[in-house]
Amino acid sequence: AASALSMLASTAFAASLTVGFSQIGSESGWRAAETTVTQNQAKERGIDLKFADAQQKQENQIKAVRGFIAQGVDAILIAPVVATGWDDVLKEAKEADIPVILLDRQIEAPDSLYLTAVTSDQVHEGKVAGDWLVKDVGAKPCKVVELQGTTGSSPAINRKKGFEQAIAGHSNITIARSQTGDFTRTKGKEVMESFIKAEGGGKDICAVYAHNDDMAVGAIQAIKEAGLKPGTDIKVVSIDAVPDIFLAMAAGEANATVELTPNMAGPAFDALEAYLKDKKAPAKWIQTESKLYTQADDPKAVYDAKKGLGY
Ligand code: GYE
Protein backbone atom coordinates (compact mmCIF):
# COMPACT_ATOMS: atom_id res chain seq x y z
CA ALA A 1 0.00 0.00 0.00
CA ALA A 2 2.86 2.33 0.94
CA SER A 3 4.64 1.83 -2.41
CA ALA A 4 1.39 2.33 -4.31
CA LEU A 5 0.84 5.49 -2.30
CA SER A 6 4.33 6.80 -3.07
CA MET A 7 3.79 5.94 -6.77
CA LEU A 8 0.55 7.89 -6.64
CA ALA A 9 2.28 10.78 -4.89
CA SER A 10 5.15 10.96 -7.40
CA THR A 11 2.75 10.74 -10.36
CA ALA A 12 0.51 13.35 -8.78
CA PHE A 13 3.61 15.48 -8.11
CA ALA A 14 4.80 15.08 -11.71
CA ALA A 15 1.28 15.75 -12.99
CA SER A 16 1.77 19.41 -12.16
CA LEU A 17 5.08 19.55 -14.11
CA THR A 18 5.39 21.38 -17.42
CA VAL A 19 8.68 20.75 -19.24
CA GLY A 20 9.92 22.42 -22.43
CA PHE A 21 11.98 20.24 -24.81
CA SER A 22 14.19 21.92 -27.41
CA GLN A 23 15.00 19.08 -29.83
CA ILE A 24 17.56 19.49 -32.65
CA GLY A 25 15.35 17.99 -35.36
CA SER A 26 15.11 14.51 -36.87
CA GLU A 27 18.37 14.20 -38.82
CA SER A 28 18.75 10.52 -37.91
CA GLY A 29 16.77 7.44 -36.93
CA TRP A 30 18.34 7.68 -33.48
CA ARG A 31 17.17 11.29 -33.01
CA ALA A 32 13.61 10.41 -34.04
CA ALA A 33 13.65 7.55 -31.50
CA GLU A 34 14.91 9.87 -28.77
CA THR A 35 11.93 12.16 -29.43
CA THR A 36 9.45 9.26 -29.28
CA VAL A 37 10.96 7.89 -26.08
CA THR A 38 10.96 11.35 -24.45
CA GLN A 39 7.29 11.90 -25.32
CA ASN A 40 6.40 8.43 -23.96
CA GLN A 41 8.38 8.99 -20.77
CA ALA A 42 6.58 12.32 -20.20
CA LYS A 43 3.18 10.72 -20.80
CA GLU A 44 3.91 7.86 -18.37
CA ARG A 45 4.94 10.37 -15.69
CA GLY A 46 2.03 12.76 -16.24
CA ILE A 47 4.45 15.49 -17.36
CA ASP A 48 3.10 18.09 -19.82
CA LEU A 49 5.85 18.20 -22.50
CA LYS A 50 6.11 21.27 -24.75
CA PHE A 51 8.04 20.12 -27.85
CA ALA A 52 10.03 22.41 -30.19
CA ASP A 53 11.84 21.10 -33.32
CA ALA A 54 14.77 23.41 -34.24
CA GLN A 55 15.32 22.02 -37.79
CA GLN A 56 19.07 21.73 -36.95
CA LYS A 57 19.43 25.48 -36.22
CA GLN A 58 20.94 26.80 -32.96
CA GLU A 59 19.08 30.09 -33.27
CA ASN A 60 15.79 28.18 -33.27
CA GLN A 61 16.84 26.34 -30.11
CA ILE A 62 17.70 29.61 -28.40
CA LYS A 63 14.32 31.06 -29.46
CA ALA A 64 12.54 27.96 -28.13
CA VAL A 65 14.32 28.17 -24.76
CA ARG A 66 13.39 31.86 -24.48
CA GLY A 67 9.79 30.90 -25.25
CA PHE A 68 9.83 28.25 -22.50
CA ILE A 69 11.21 30.81 -20.03
CA ALA A 70 8.43 33.26 -20.98
CA GLN A 71 5.85 30.47 -20.48
CA GLY A 72 7.29 29.86 -17.01
CA VAL A 73 7.85 26.12 -17.51
CA ASP A 74 9.12 24.09 -14.54
CA ALA A 75 12.17 22.77 -16.40
CA ILE A 76 13.82 22.66 -19.83
CA LEU A 77 15.38 19.74 -21.73
CA ILE A 78 17.72 20.61 -24.59
CA ALA A 79 19.78 18.53 -27.02
CA PRO A 80 22.34 21.22 -27.98
CA VAL A 81 23.09 21.04 -31.72
CA VAL A 82 26.59 22.52 -31.24
CA ALA A 83 28.86 22.80 -28.19
CA THR A 84 29.25 26.62 -27.99
CA GLY A 85 27.04 29.75 -27.86
CA TRP A 86 24.71 28.75 -24.98
CA ASP A 87 25.95 30.89 -22.07
CA ASP A 88 23.56 33.84 -22.47
CA VAL A 89 20.30 31.90 -22.87
CA LEU A 90 21.25 29.49 -20.07
CA LYS A 91 21.96 32.47 -17.78
CA GLU A 92 18.44 33.75 -18.57
CA ALA A 93 17.00 30.35 -17.58
CA LYS A 94 19.06 30.39 -14.38
CA GLU A 95 17.86 33.89 -13.53
CA ALA A 96 14.29 32.63 -14.01
CA ASP A 97 15.17 29.74 -11.64
CA ILE A 98 14.29 27.16 -14.35
CA PRO A 99 16.55 24.07 -14.26
CA VAL A 100 17.99 22.98 -17.64
CA ILE A 101 19.01 19.41 -18.47
CA LEU A 102 21.20 18.60 -21.50
CA LEU A 103 20.35 15.47 -23.52
CA ASP A 104 22.85 13.46 -25.61
CA ARG A 105 25.32 16.26 -26.30
CA GLN A 106 27.67 18.25 -24.04
CA ILE A 107 28.39 22.01 -24.22
CA GLU A 108 31.42 24.18 -23.49
CA ALA A 109 29.92 26.32 -20.71
CA PRO A 110 30.21 26.50 -16.91
CA ASP A 111 28.31 23.50 -15.51
CA SER A 112 26.61 25.87 -13.04
CA LEU A 113 24.42 26.81 -16.03
CA TYR A 114 22.68 23.42 -16.19
CA LEU A 115 21.34 20.90 -13.67
CA THR A 116 22.90 17.84 -15.35
CA ALA A 117 23.81 16.35 -18.75
CA VAL A 118 22.57 12.88 -19.74
CA THR A 119 24.97 11.66 -22.43
CA SER A 120 27.18 8.76 -23.44
CA ASP A 121 30.98 8.99 -23.19
CA GLN A 122 31.50 9.96 -26.82
CA VAL A 123 35.32 9.72 -26.72
CA HIS A 124 34.88 6.15 -25.45
CA GLU A 125 32.42 5.40 -28.28
CA GLY A 126 35.02 6.49 -30.85
CA LYS A 127 37.66 4.41 -29.09
CA VAL A 128 35.44 1.28 -29.06
CA ALA A 129 34.86 1.72 -32.80
CA GLY A 130 38.58 2.24 -33.44
CA ASP A 131 39.59 -0.69 -31.24
CA TRP A 132 37.29 -2.96 -33.25
CA LEU A 133 38.95 -1.88 -36.51
CA VAL A 134 42.48 -2.28 -35.07
CA LYS A 135 41.60 -5.86 -34.07
CA ASP A 136 39.92 -6.57 -37.40
CA VAL A 137 42.74 -5.41 -39.68
CA GLY A 138 45.71 -6.65 -37.65
CA ALA A 139 49.01 -5.59 -39.27
CA LYS A 140 47.52 -5.08 -42.76
CA PRO A 141 47.74 -1.54 -44.17
CA CYS A 142 44.30 0.08 -43.86
CA LYS A 143 43.28 3.42 -45.35
CA VAL A 144 40.21 4.74 -43.49
CA VAL A 145 37.75 7.41 -44.61
CA GLU A 146 35.78 9.17 -41.85
CA LEU A 147 32.25 10.59 -42.01
CA GLN A 148 32.06 13.13 -39.18
CA GLY A 149 28.93 14.20 -37.37
CA THR A 150 27.61 17.78 -37.35
CA THR A 151 30.52 20.24 -37.30
CA GLY A 152 31.03 21.73 -33.83
CA SER A 153 28.80 19.20 -32.06
CA SER A 154 30.24 17.38 -29.04
CA PRO A 155 29.74 13.90 -30.59
CA ALA A 156 31.61 14.89 -33.77
CA ILE A 157 34.52 16.36 -31.78
CA ASN A 158 34.70 13.50 -29.27
CA ARG A 159 34.07 10.53 -31.56
CA LYS A 160 36.90 11.73 -33.82
CA LYS A 161 39.17 12.07 -30.78
CA GLY A 162 38.36 8.59 -29.46
CA PHE A 163 38.88 6.87 -32.82
CA GLU A 164 42.24 8.61 -33.26
CA GLN A 165 43.28 7.45 -29.77
CA ALA A 166 42.48 3.86 -30.76
CA ILE A 167 44.51 3.87 -33.97
CA ALA A 168 47.46 5.83 -32.55
CA GLY A 169 50.45 3.50 -32.41
CA HIS A 170 49.09 1.44 -35.32
CA SER A 171 50.88 3.18 -38.20
CA ASN A 172 49.35 0.69 -40.68
CA ILE A 173 45.96 2.37 -40.10
CA THR A 174 45.58 5.93 -41.42
CA ILE A 175 42.65 8.31 -41.85
CA ALA A 176 43.02 9.38 -45.49
CA ARG A 177 39.95 11.61 -45.71
CA SER A 178 37.57 13.07 -43.13
CA GLN A 179 34.52 15.24 -43.73
CA THR A 180 31.16 15.95 -42.14
CA GLY A 181 28.10 14.05 -43.37
CA ASP A 182 25.99 15.98 -40.83
CA PHE A 183 24.64 12.74 -39.27
CA THR A 184 22.30 12.16 -42.24
CA ARG A 185 21.98 9.27 -44.74
CA THR A 186 21.81 11.62 -47.73
CA LYS A 187 24.93 13.57 -46.87
CA GLY A 188 26.73 10.41 -45.74
CA LYS A 189 26.11 8.88 -49.17
CA GLU A 190 27.15 12.07 -51.01
CA VAL A 191 30.43 12.43 -49.10
CA MET A 192 31.22 8.71 -49.44
CA GLU A 193 30.72 9.02 -53.23
CA SER A 194 33.32 11.81 -53.26
CA PHE A 195 35.72 9.72 -51.15
CA ILE A 196 35.32 6.77 -53.53
CA LYS A 197 36.01 9.00 -56.57
CA ALA A 198 39.09 10.44 -54.89
CA GLU A 199 40.46 7.03 -53.83
CA GLY A 200 40.84 5.00 -57.01
CA GLY A 201 37.16 4.24 -57.37
CA GLY A 202 37.15 2.97 -53.80
CA LYS A 203 39.53 0.07 -54.24
CA ASP A 204 42.13 1.89 -52.10
CA ILE A 205 39.69 2.33 -49.18
CA CYS A 206 39.85 -0.36 -46.49
CA ALA A 207 37.19 0.98 -44.08
CA VAL A 208 34.69 3.74 -43.48
CA TYR A 209 34.23 5.05 -39.90
CA ALA A 210 30.93 6.93 -39.62
CA HIS A 211 30.03 8.89 -36.47
CA ASN A 212 26.48 7.50 -36.74
CA ASP A 213 24.68 4.58 -38.39
CA ASP A 214 22.60 6.82 -40.68
CA MET A 215 25.72 8.10 -42.45
CA ALA A 216 27.00 4.50 -42.55
CA VAL A 217 23.79 3.36 -44.31
CA GLY A 218 24.27 6.16 -46.85
CA ALA A 219 27.90 5.11 -47.33
CA ILE A 220 26.83 1.47 -47.86
CA GLN A 221 24.59 2.59 -50.73
CA ALA A 222 27.47 4.57 -52.30
CA ILE A 223 29.86 1.59 -51.95
CA LYS A 224 27.36 -0.73 -53.69
CA GLU A 225 26.70 1.77 -56.49
CA ALA A 226 30.46 1.87 -57.07
CA GLY A 227 30.35 -1.89 -57.64
CA LEU A 228 32.14 -2.76 -54.38
CA LYS A 229 31.01 -4.97 -51.49
CA PRO A 230 30.38 -3.07 -48.22
CA GLY A 231 31.38 -5.17 -45.22
CA THR A 232 34.08 -7.04 -47.16
CA ASP A 233 35.83 -4.77 -49.76
CA ILE A 234 35.25 -1.80 -47.43
CA LYS A 235 34.60 -2.46 -43.73
CA VAL A 236 31.82 -0.37 -42.14
CA VAL A 237 31.99 0.70 -38.48
CA SER A 238 29.69 3.27 -36.88
CA ILE A 239 27.80 4.33 -33.73
CA ASP A 240 24.14 4.38 -32.51
CA ALA A 241 23.01 0.74 -33.02
CA VAL A 242 19.74 1.73 -34.73
CA PRO A 243 17.67 -1.16 -36.16
CA ASP A 244 18.63 -0.60 -39.83
CA ILE A 245 22.35 -1.11 -39.17
CA PHE A 246 21.48 -4.61 -37.95
CA LEU A 247 19.67 -5.35 -41.22
CA ALA A 248 22.88 -4.29 -43.02
CA MET A 249 24.93 -6.50 -40.66
CA ALA A 250 22.63 -9.47 -41.29
CA ALA A 251 23.29 -8.96 -45.03
CA GLY A 252 27.05 -8.81 -44.38
CA GLU A 253 27.13 -5.16 -45.46
CA ALA A 254 28.07 -3.59 -42.09
CA ASN A 255 30.56 -4.89 -39.52
CA ALA A 256 30.28 -3.11 -36.15
CA THR A 257 28.30 -0.47 -34.28
CA VAL A 258 28.48 1.06 -30.77
CA GLU A 259 25.12 1.30 -29.02
CA LEU A 260 23.63 4.61 -27.88
CA THR A 261 20.38 4.42 -25.93
CA PRO A 262 17.57 6.73 -27.17
CA ASN A 263 16.28 6.82 -23.58
CA MET A 264 18.07 9.87 -22.20
CA ALA A 265 14.78 11.33 -20.89
CA GLY A 266 14.22 8.57 -18.30
CA PRO A 267 17.33 9.42 -16.27
CA ALA A 268 16.71 13.14 -16.94
CA PHE A 269 13.16 13.08 -15.55
CA ASP A 270 14.29 10.96 -12.55
CA ALA A 271 16.99 13.53 -11.71
CA LEU A 272 14.57 16.42 -12.24
CA GLU A 273 11.84 14.99 -10.02
CA ALA A 274 14.34 14.25 -7.25
CA TYR A 275 15.72 17.78 -7.53
CA LEU A 276 12.34 19.50 -7.54
CA LYS A 277 11.15 17.40 -4.60
CA ASP A 278 14.06 17.98 -2.21
CA LYS A 279 16.53 20.27 -4.07
CA LYS A 280 18.90 17.26 -4.25
CA ALA A 281 21.28 18.32 -7.05
CA PRO A 282 22.31 15.37 -9.28
CA ALA A 283 25.85 14.80 -10.56
CA LYS A 284 26.61 17.11 -13.47
CA TRP A 285 26.98 14.12 -15.82
CA ILE A 286 24.70 11.07 -15.96
CA GLN A 287 26.55 8.68 -18.30
CA THR A 288 24.73 6.16 -20.50
CA GLU A 289 26.25 2.83 -21.58
CA SER A 290 28.16 2.05 -24.79
CA LYS A 291 28.09 -1.55 -26.05
CA LEU A 292 29.81 -2.95 -29.17
CA TYR A 293 27.71 -5.07 -31.55
CA THR A 294 29.17 -7.07 -34.47
CA GLN A 295 27.90 -9.61 -37.00
CA ALA A 296 28.55 -12.28 -34.32
CA ASP A 297 25.69 -10.88 -32.19
CA ASP A 298 22.72 -12.36 -34.13
CA PRO A 299 21.88 -9.04 -35.88
CA LYS A 300 18.43 -10.15 -37.07
CA ALA A 301 17.37 -10.91 -33.49
CA VAL A 302 18.77 -7.56 -32.31
CA TYR A 303 16.86 -5.82 -35.12
CA ASP A 304 13.60 -7.46 -34.04
CA ALA A 305 14.21 -6.59 -30.38
CA LYS A 306 15.03 -2.94 -31.13
CA LYS A 307 12.05 -2.35 -33.42
CA GLY A 308 9.78 -1.86 -30.45
CA LEU A 309 11.96 0.65 -28.61
CA GLY A 310 10.75 3.88 -30.17
CA TYR A 311 12.44 3.53 -33.60
O1 GYE B 1 24.72 9.70 -32.60
C1 GYE B 1 23.16 10.88 -34.05
C2 GYE B 1 22.33 12.13 -33.84
O2 GYE B 1 23.83 13.61 -30.39
C3 GYE B 1 24.92 11.54 -29.86
O3 GYE B 1 23.07 12.89 -32.85
C4 GYE B 1 23.81 12.22 -30.66
C5 GYE B 1 23.97 12.01 -32.16
C6 GYE B 1 23.62 10.59 -32.65
O4 GYE B 1 22.16 12.82 -35.02
O5 GYE B 1 22.42 9.84 -34.67
mmCIF file of all heavy atoms in Angstrom, residues 132-133 136-137 142-146 163 173-174 177 192 202 204-210 223 233-237 255:
data_model
loop_
_atom_site.group_PDB
_atom_site.id
_atom_site.type_symbol
_atom_site.label_atom_id
_atom_site.label_comp_id
_atom_site.label_asym_id
_atom_site.label_seq_id
_atom_site.Cartn_x
_atom_site.Cartn_y
_atom_site.Cartn_z
ATOM 1 N N TRP A 132 37.822 -1.847 -32.439
ATOM 2 C CA TRP A 132 37.286 -2.958 -33.246
ATOM 3 C C TRP A 132 38.066 -3.043 -34.570
ATOM 4 O O TRP A 132 38.487 -4.125 -34.997
ATOM 5 C CB TRP A 132 35.798 -2.790 -33.536
ATOM 6 C CG TRP A 132 35.330 -3.886 -34.467
ATOM 7 C CD1 TRP A 132 34.959 -5.149 -34.137
ATOM 8 C CD2 TRP A 132 35.323 -3.817 -35.908
ATOM 9 N NE1 TRP A 132 34.699 -5.895 -35.272
ATOM 10 C CE2 TRP A 132 34.903 -5.097 -36.379
ATOM 11 C CE3 TRP A 132 35.613 -2.819 -36.834
ATOM 12 C CZ2 TRP A 132 34.786 -5.394 -37.731
ATOM 13 C CZ3 TRP A 132 35.484 -3.112 -38.199
ATOM 14 C CH2 TRP A 132 35.076 -4.386 -38.624
ATOM 15 N N LEU A 133 38.279 -1.874 -35.211
ATOM 16 C CA LEU A 133 38.953 -1.877 -36.514
ATOM 17 C C LEU A 133 40.401 -2.353 -36.366
ATOM 18 O O LEU A 133 40.879 -3.172 -37.155
ATOM 19 C CB LEU A 133 38.915 -0.482 -37.141
ATOM 20 C CG LEU A 133 39.450 -0.431 -38.574
ATOM 21 C CD1 LEU A 133 38.552 -1.231 -39.522
ATOM 22 C CD2 LEU A 133 39.585 1.005 -39.058
ATOM 23 N N ASP A 136 40.387 -5.924 -36.168
ATOM 24 C CA ASP A 136 39.915 -6.567 -37.402
ATOM 25 C C ASP A 136 41.002 -6.572 -38.484
ATOM 26 O O ASP A 136 41.143 -7.540 -39.221
ATOM 27 C CB ASP A 136 38.669 -5.823 -37.918
ATOM 28 C CG ASP A 136 38.064 -6.514 -39.141
ATOM 29 O OD1 ASP A 136 37.487 -7.610 -38.973
ATOM 30 O OD2 ASP A 136 38.238 -5.978 -40.259
ATOM 31 N N VAL A 137 41.775 -5.479 -38.573
ATOM 32 C CA VAL A 137 42.742 -5.407 -39.684
ATOM 33 C C VAL A 137 44.103 -5.987 -39.320
ATOM 34 O O VAL A 137 44.889 -6.321 -40.195
ATOM 35 C CB VAL A 137 42.919 -3.974 -40.235
ATOM 36 C CG1 VAL A 137 41.609 -3.388 -40.687
ATOM 37 C CG2 VAL A 137 43.595 -3.053 -39.253
ATOM 38 N N CYS A 142 45.740 -0.212 -43.739
ATOM 39 C CA CYS A 142 44.301 0.076 -43.861
ATOM 40 C C CYS A 142 44.079 1.588 -43.951
ATOM 41 O O CYS A 142 44.330 2.313 -43.005
ATOM 42 C CB CYS A 142 43.552 -0.484 -42.663
ATOM 43 S SG CYS A 142 41.755 -0.232 -42.777
ATOM 44 N N LYS A 143 43.600 2.009 -45.139
ATOM 45 C CA LYS A 143 43.281 3.425 -45.349
ATOM 46 C C LYS A 143 41.812 3.625 -44.975
ATOM 47 O O LYS A 143 40.920 2.984 -45.547
ATOM 48 C CB LYS A 143 43.543 3.776 -46.816
ATOM 49 C CG LYS A 143 43.521 5.256 -47.108
ATOM 50 C CD LYS A 143 43.631 5.512 -48.595
ATOM 51 C CE LYS A 143 45.056 5.705 -49.078
ATOM 52 N NZ LYS A 143 45.099 6.250 -50.455
ATOM 53 N N VAL A 144 41.567 4.507 -43.987
ATOM 54 C CA VAL A 144 40.211 4.741 -43.485
ATOM 55 C C VAL A 144 39.683 6.077 -44.009
ATOM 56 O O VAL A 144 40.447 7.038 -44.126
ATOM 57 C CB VAL A 144 40.215 4.786 -41.937
ATOM 58 C CG1 VAL A 144 38.806 5.002 -41.382
ATOM 59 C CG2 VAL A 144 40.832 3.512 -41.374
ATOM 60 N N VAL A 145 38.401 6.118 -44.357
ATOM 61 C CA VAL A 145 37.746 7.408 -44.607
ATOM 62 C C VAL A 145 36.741 7.618 -43.484
ATOM 63 O O VAL A 145 36.128 6.649 -42.999
ATOM 64 C CB VAL A 145 37.077 7.461 -45.992
ATOM 65 C CG1 VAL A 145 38.120 7.438 -47.098
ATOM 66 C CG2 VAL A 145 36.057 6.349 -46.188
ATOM 67 N N GLU A 146 36.607 8.868 -43.030
ATOM 68 C CA GLU A 146 35.778 9.175 -41.851
ATOM 69 C C GLU A 146 34.632 10.113 -42.214
ATOM 70 O O GLU A 146 34.858 11.162 -42.836
ATOM 71 C CB GLU A 146 36.656 9.822 -40.771
ATOM 72 C CG GLU A 146 35.897 10.205 -39.497
ATOM 73 C CD GLU A 146 36.801 10.866 -38.461
ATOM 74 O OE1 GLU A 146 37.826 11.458 -38.833
ATOM 75 O OE2 GLU A 146 36.477 10.771 -37.264
ATOM 76 N N PHE A 163 38.421 7.774 -31.751
ATOM 77 C CA PHE A 163 38.875 6.873 -32.820
ATOM 78 C C PHE A 163 40.380 7.060 -33.041
ATOM 79 O O PHE A 163 41.133 6.085 -33.167
ATOM 80 C CB PHE A 163 38.108 7.178 -34.112
ATOM 81 C CG PHE A 163 38.360 6.207 -35.236
ATOM 82 C CD1 PHE A 163 37.650 5.022 -35.329
ATOM 83 C CD2 PHE A 163 39.331 6.476 -36.189
ATOM 84 C CE1 PHE A 163 37.886 4.121 -36.370
ATOM 85 C CE2 PHE A 163 39.577 5.588 -37.225
ATOM 86 C CZ PHE A 163 38.856 4.410 -37.313
ATOM 87 N N ILE A 173 47.337 1.858 -39.933
ATOM 88 C CA ILE A 173 45.961 2.368 -40.101
ATOM 89 C C ILE A 173 46.017 3.894 -40.168
ATOM 90 O O ILE A 173 46.499 4.541 -39.233
ATOM 91 C CB ILE A 173 45.052 1.932 -38.931
ATOM 92 C CG1 ILE A 173 45.065 0.403 -38.793
ATOM 93 C CG2 ILE A 173 43.611 2.419 -39.163
ATOM 94 C CD1 ILE A 173 44.291 -0.114 -37.599
ATOM 95 N N THR A 174 45.546 4.453 -41.273
ATOM 96 C CA THR A 174 45.584 5.925 -41.421
ATOM 97 C C THR A 174 44.208 6.439 -41.860
ATOM 98 O O THR A 174 43.479 5.743 -42.571
ATOM 99 C CB THR A 174 46.598 6.321 -42.532
ATOM 100 O OG1 THR A 174 46.222 5.607 -43.730
ATOM 101 C CG2 THR A 174 48.013 5.932 -42.146
ATOM 102 N N ARG A 177 40.866 10.485 -45.444
ATOM 103 C CA ARG A 177 39.945 11.607 -45.709
ATOM 104 C C ARG A 177 38.924 11.669 -44.588
ATOM 105 O O ARG A 177 38.537 10.646 -44.039
ATOM 106 C CB ARG A 177 39.230 11.393 -47.055
ATOM 107 C CG ARG A 177 40.193 11.454 -48.209
ATOM 108 C CD ARG A 177 39.603 11.185 -49.553
ATOM 109 N NE ARG A 177 40.708 11.091 -50.500
ATOM 110 C CZ ARG A 177 41.260 12.164 -51.086
ATOM 111 N NH1 ARG A 177 40.760 13.361 -50.844
ATOM 112 N NH2 ARG A 177 42.290 12.034 -51.892
ATOM 113 N N MET A 192 30.545 9.992 -49.151
ATOM 114 C CA MET A 192 31.216 8.705 -49.442
ATOM 115 C C MET A 192 31.469 8.570 -50.935
ATOM 116 O O MET A 192 32.519 8.078 -51.369
ATOM 117 C CB MET A 192 30.377 7.537 -48.924
ATOM 118 C CG MET A 192 31.093 6.192 -48.988
ATOM 119 S SD MET A 192 32.532 6.183 -47.858
ATOM 120 C CE MET A 192 33.348 4.678 -48.431
ATOM 121 N N GLY A 202 37.511 3.640 -55.047
ATOM 122 C CA GLY A 202 37.152 2.968 -53.797
ATOM 123 C C GLY A 202 38.016 1.767 -53.496
ATOM 124 O O GLY A 202 38.040 1.301 -52.366
ATOM 125 N N ASP A 204 41.044 1.598 -53.049
ATOM 126 C CA ASP A 204 42.129 1.887 -52.101
ATOM 127 C C ASP A 204 41.591 2.078 -50.685
ATOM 128 O O ASP A 204 42.361 2.271 -49.756
ATOM 129 C CB ASP A 204 42.877 3.156 -52.535
ATOM 130 C CG ASP A 204 43.430 3.013 -53.953
ATOM 131 O OD1 ASP A 204 43.545 1.843 -54.400
ATOM 132 O OD2 ASP A 204 43.687 4.047 -54.607
ATOM 133 N N ILE A 205 40.269 2.080 -50.516
ATOM 134 C CA ILE A 205 39.689 2.329 -49.178
ATOM 135 C C ILE A 205 39.468 0.981 -48.477
ATOM 136 O O ILE A 205 38.857 0.069 -49.043
ATOM 137 C CB ILE A 205 38.347 3.088 -49.274
ATOM 138 C CG1 ILE A 205 38.528 4.444 -49.971
ATOM 139 C CG2 ILE A 205 37.747 3.282 -47.873
ATOM 140 C CD1 ILE A 205 37.219 5.169 -50.255
ATOM 141 N N CYS A 206 39.976 0.885 -47.269
ATOM 142 C CA CYS A 206 39.855 -0.363 -46.489
ATOM 143 C C CYS A 206 38.664 -0.320 -45.554
ATOM 144 O O CYS A 206 38.042 -1.355 -45.282
ATOM 145 C CB CYS A 206 41.173 -0.543 -45.735
ATOM 146 S SG CYS A 206 41.071 -1.289 -44.119
ATOM 147 N N ALA A 207 38.298 0.891 -45.058
ATOM 148 C CA ALA A 207 37.191 0.982 -44.079
ATOM 149 C C ALA A 207 36.604 2.387 -44.071
ATOM 150 O O ALA A 207 37.308 3.357 -44.373
ATOM 151 C CB ALA A 207 37.695 0.643 -42.674
ATOM 152 N N VAL A 208 35.320 2.442 -43.730
ATOM 153 C CA VAL A 208 34.689 3.740 -43.477
ATOM 154 C C VAL A 208 34.253 3.745 -42.011
ATOM 155 O O VAL A 208 33.645 2.783 -41.524
ATOM 156 C CB VAL A 208 33.489 4.020 -44.408
ATOM 157 C CG1 VAL A 208 32.465 2.900 -44.430
ATOM 158 C CG2 VAL A 208 32.810 5.344 -44.036
ATOM 159 N N TYR A 209 34.640 4.810 -41.299
ATOM 160 C CA TYR A 209 34.225 5.045 -39.899
ATOM 161 C C TYR A 209 33.226 6.188 -39.926
ATOM 162 O O TYR A 209 33.571 7.321 -40.271
ATOM 163 C CB TYR A 209 35.432 5.407 -39.027
ATOM 164 C CG TYR A 209 35.085 6.007 -37.674
ATOM 165 C CD1 TYR A 209 34.162 5.391 -36.825
ATOM 166 C CD2 TYR A 209 35.681 7.194 -37.244
ATOM 167 C CE1 TYR A 209 33.852 5.938 -35.581
ATOM 168 C CE2 TYR A 209 35.377 7.750 -36.004
ATOM 169 C CZ TYR A 209 34.463 7.115 -35.176
ATOM 170 O OH TYR A 209 34.159 7.671 -33.945
ATOM 171 N N ALA A 210 31.980 5.891 -39.602
ATOM 172 C CA ALA A 210 30.927 6.925 -39.619
ATOM 173 C C ALA A 210 30.511 7.233 -38.181
ATOM 174 O O ALA A 210 30.291 6.315 -37.386
ATOM 175 C CB ALA A 210 29.720 6.432 -40.429
ATOM 176 N N ILE A 223 28.882 2.665 -51.699
ATOM 177 C CA ILE A 223 29.856 1.590 -51.955
ATOM 178 C C ILE A 223 29.274 0.588 -52.963
ATOM 179 O O ILE A 223 29.925 0.186 -53.931
ATOM 180 C CB ILE A 223 30.244 0.885 -50.640
ATOM 181 C CG1 ILE A 223 30.987 1.852 -49.704
ATOM 182 C CG2 ILE A 223 31.100 -0.361 -50.906
ATOM 183 C CD1 ILE A 223 31.129 1.350 -48.263
ATOM 184 N N ASP A 233 34.835 -5.633 -49.073
ATOM 185 C CA ASP A 233 35.825 -4.773 -49.756
ATOM 186 C C ASP A 233 36.154 -3.567 -48.861
ATOM 187 O O ASP A 233 37.301 -3.186 -48.711
ATOM 188 C CB ASP A 233 35.275 -4.262 -51.100
ATOM 189 C CG ASP A 233 35.052 -5.406 -52.089
ATOM 190 O OD1 ASP A 233 35.739 -6.444 -51.945
ATOM 191 O OD2 ASP A 233 34.184 -5.266 -52.956
ATOM 192 N N ILE A 234 35.075 -2.965 -48.326
ATOM 193 C CA ILE A 234 35.251 -1.802 -47.427
ATOM 194 C C ILE A 234 34.500 -2.104 -46.125
ATOM 195 O O ILE A 234 33.273 -2.294 -46.144
ATOM 196 C CB ILE A 234 34.709 -0.505 -48.076
ATOM 197 C CG1 ILE A 234 35.491 -0.186 -49.362
ATOM 198 C CG2 ILE A 234 34.799 0.666 -47.089
ATOM 199 C CD1 ILE A 234 35.021 1.065 -50.097
ATOM 200 N N LYS A 235 35.249 -2.190 -45.019
ATOM 201 C CA LYS A 235 34.597 -2.463 -43.732
ATOM 202 C C LYS A 235 33.800 -1.227 -43.297
ATOM 203 O O LYS A 235 34.199 -0.095 -43.622
ATOM 204 C CB LYS A 235 35.648 -2.803 -42.669
ATOM 205 C CG LYS A 235 36.473 -4.065 -42.969
ATOM 206 C CD LYS A 235 35.602 -5.299 -42.991
ATOM 207 C CE LYS A 235 36.351 -6.548 -43.436
ATOM 208 N NZ LYS A 235 37.216 -7.120 -42.398
ATOM 209 N N VAL A 236 32.702 -1.470 -42.567
ATOM 210 C CA VAL A 236 31.818 -0.372 -42.144
ATOM 211 C C VAL A 236 31.655 -0.433 -40.630
ATOM 212 O O VAL A 236 31.135 -1.413 -40.091
ATOM 213 C CB VAL A 236 30.443 -0.489 -42.838
ATOM 214 C CG1 VAL A 236 29.515 0.635 -42.398
ATOM 215 C CG2 VAL A 236 30.606 -0.464 -44.365
ATOM 216 N N VAL A 237 32.133 0.630 -39.947
ATOM 217 C CA VAL A 237 31.993 0.701 -38.481
ATOM 218 C C VAL A 237 31.393 2.060 -38.117
ATOM 219 O O VAL A 237 31.771 3.091 -38.678
ATOM 220 C CB VAL A 237 33.355 0.469 -37.768
ATOM 221 C CG1 VAL A 237 34.450 1.367 -38.283
ATOM 222 C CG2 VAL A 237 33.226 0.589 -36.258
ATOM 223 N N ASN A 255 29.745 -4.000 -40.361
ATOM 224 C CA ASN A 255 30.559 -4.888 -39.525
ATOM 225 C C ASN A 255 30.403 -4.657 -38.027
ATOM 226 O O ASN A 255 30.416 -5.606 -37.231
ATOM 227 C CB ASN A 255 32.037 -4.742 -39.903
ATOM 228 C CG ASN A 255 32.243 -5.038 -41.371
ATOM 229 O OD1 ASN A 255 32.158 -4.117 -42.213
ATOM 230 N ND2 ASN A 255 32.469 -6.286 -41.711
#
